Structures are given as C-alpha cells and as structure tokens.
Amino acid sequence: MSLKVLVVEDDREIRALLQSSLSVEGFAVQTAVTLSEATALLRHDPPDLVVLDLGLPDGDGVQLVRELRQTRSTPVIVVSARHQEAQKIELLDAGADDYLGKPFSVAELLARMRVALRHRGTSLAAAVTLHELDGLRVDLAARVVQVNGAALHLTPTEFKLLARLVRSAGRVVTHRQLLSDVWGPEYTDHTHYLRLYMGQLRAKIERDPAEPRHLLTETGVGYRLADS
Ligand code: CA
C-alpha cells in the first residue's frame, strides 16, 4: 500500500508540481488549499506525512502543526518562503519535523521526507541506541563512542549532547531543545554553552572540525547529526 501524503499549499503551481512529482515517487497524494480543508482531511483520512506551506488564505500553517501535535505524531515538513530564523525555530519547537525554504528542489524534499518517515518508523519500534556513519560509532546503551575503532573519552555533558543528537539523527534539533534537554529548561538562553561543547565534540570526533562531516550547523536554528 502506498504512503499517503497531504500537501497543504495555496499556490496552484507548487501544488501541482508536488502532486505530480510525489505521485511519480509512488505516494498517494491528497491536496488542501486552506487550513480548514487540511484540518478536515487530517480528521477524516489521516495521512502518513504532511507537506505544509505557512502562508495560507485562512491562517498560518503553524496553527495546523500545533493542533496536529495534540493528537498525532504524523511527520510534518514545512515548505515556506519565510526565512527568518525565529519562525523556523517556532515551527520546529511546535513539532514540525523539518523546514525547507522556497525555492526548493523536489529531490531535497524527498530526501527530507524519507528521513522523517524513517525516523518515525524507528521511534515507533525501538529507541535508537546505535549510530554508525563514516568511522563514527556511538553506542548509547554501552556508553561507548569510537572513531575509526578507537574509543573516545567524552565528558558526561559531551556524551549527553551527542546522545541527544543521535536520538534525532538526520533531523535538526533547535538550540532551545538541546539546551533544555542537556542542561535543563532554565538554560535555554545559554547558547554559549552549546557553542563551547559543540566545539569540544567536533575537536574529538571530526577529522576536520572546521568542515564537520557529522555535527552539522543549521545556521541560527540548531544542529543536525548527519545520518547519511
Ligand atoms: Ca502560500
């Protein structure tokens, strides 16, 4: 059975492009032009993933993310022409899985969709405890981190930070989420902690800390642990 994708987009051309290109990829595509239409579809025929524009005729897409998150964990990928970091962060904090700026490539959207679906699949099954990519091996259960077979010594905070990123591998985690999960909810403004510890982690893990392969910066938003 093909996976169902709901595309919420009021721009006719982009909607048609998404409908045709996602159908070609084997998805069953539903479309909605307004928030109210999308809400009705979500209720009566829940999709496996939502691709969401923000500026809609009857409101802002972020409302839909908040409403949806009250009852469902359906992956949501936002596609928007808005580029302010504050809005990206608001969306990710509201529960969106990822964010693509317009103009975007369909190949990039498909890649992000695959990550979101895979992540949801694994989080439904068992929690991710092992991460392996390009010589980096993180075994959360055993608390072992290796680079090219050699064990690394990480401080407890460095390990916590890396573990948080492993649990969301492939997805961006906002500064706020990282600070809250690693240091505690009262530390969400201490972004200098993150910069410091991310620098230390990169120095230990990356071949070239200035050109990270694993610990990627999402400028102004957060960090992403590469998973491919
Ligand atoms: Ca729009």
Side-chain angles (χ1 to χ4, degrees):
M1 222 180 75
S2 49
L3 290 173
K4 264 188 292 187
V5 177
L6 171 60
V7 172
V8 189
E9 169 65 80
D10 62 329
D11 181 299
R12 187 200 308 253
E13 278 179 36
I14 298 177
R15 198 168 62 239
L17 167 74
L18 287 174
Q19 173 143 41
S20 60
S21 43
L22 296 179
S23 303
V24 167
E25 293 293 321
F27 292 101
V29 184
Q30 297 172 304
T31 59
V33 178
T34 61
L35 273 184
S36 55
E37 205 182 335
T39 306
L41 278 168
L42 283 168
R43 194 171 305 141
H44 298 297
D45 192 10
D48 298 296
L49 184 142
V50 179
V51 176
L52 179 65
D53 176 35
L54 291 186
L56 295 163
D58 56 345
D60 194 300
V62 73
Q63 287 170 242
L64 192 80
V65 180
R66 292 212 175 92
E67 279 170 30
L68 182 68
R69 280 294 167 263
Q70 289 175 9
T71 52
R72 289 178 184 279
S73 63
T74 315
V76 177
I77 297 183
V78 170
V79 175
S80 173
R82 297 184 203 162
H83 291 290
Q84 277 118 325
E85 305 299 350
Q87 282 168 328
K88 286 188 200 177
I89 294 165
E90 184 191 6
L91 275 161
L92 293 164
D93 279 341
D97 288 67
D98 214 332
Y99 185 101
L100 272 177
K102 285 179 185 171
F104 60 93
S105 83
V106 171
E108 177 71 9
L109 174 64
L110 286 164
R112 303 284 182 96
M113 285 172 61
R114 278 191 289 272
V115 169
L117 287 165
R118 187 170 65 228
H119 179 83
R120 214 43 60 97
T122 52
S123 70
L124 286 177
V128 178
T129 58
L130 186 66
H131 173 84
E132 282 184 289
L133 180 72
D134 253 13
L136 173 64
R137 184 171 189 279
V138 184
D139 184 338
L140 295 183
R143 294 184 75 87
V144 170
V145 181
Q146 292 170 309
V147 172
N148 300 323
L152 287 187
H153 175 73
L154 298 186
T155 67
T157 303
E158 288 167 357
F159 184 82
K160 258 177 112 172
L161 179 57
L162 182 60
R164 178 63 188 81
L165 289 164
V166 165
R167 289 194 196 97
S168 296
R171 300 196 305 155
V172 54
V173 187
T174 63
H175 297 135
R176 195 178 183 79
Q177 286 171 328
L178 286 170
L179 286 161
S180 173
D181 292 349
V182 176
W183 282 271
E186 64 275 32
Y187 288 89
T188 51
D189 294 328
H190 293 50
T191 47
H192 56 286
Y193 284 16
L194 262 184
R195 277 198 300 276
L196 177 70
Y197 278 87
M198 199 55 71
Q200 293 175 192
L201 268 181
R202 280 178 173 152
K204 291 182 179 181
I205 286 170
E206 302 285 356
R207 195 168 303 153
D208 177 2
E211 295 280 337
R213 164 72 180 96
H214 300 287
L215 298 163
L216 310 180
T217 298
E218 294 281 334
T219 306
V221 179
Y223 295 94
R224 183 196 298 264
L225 180 68
D227 73 337
S228 61

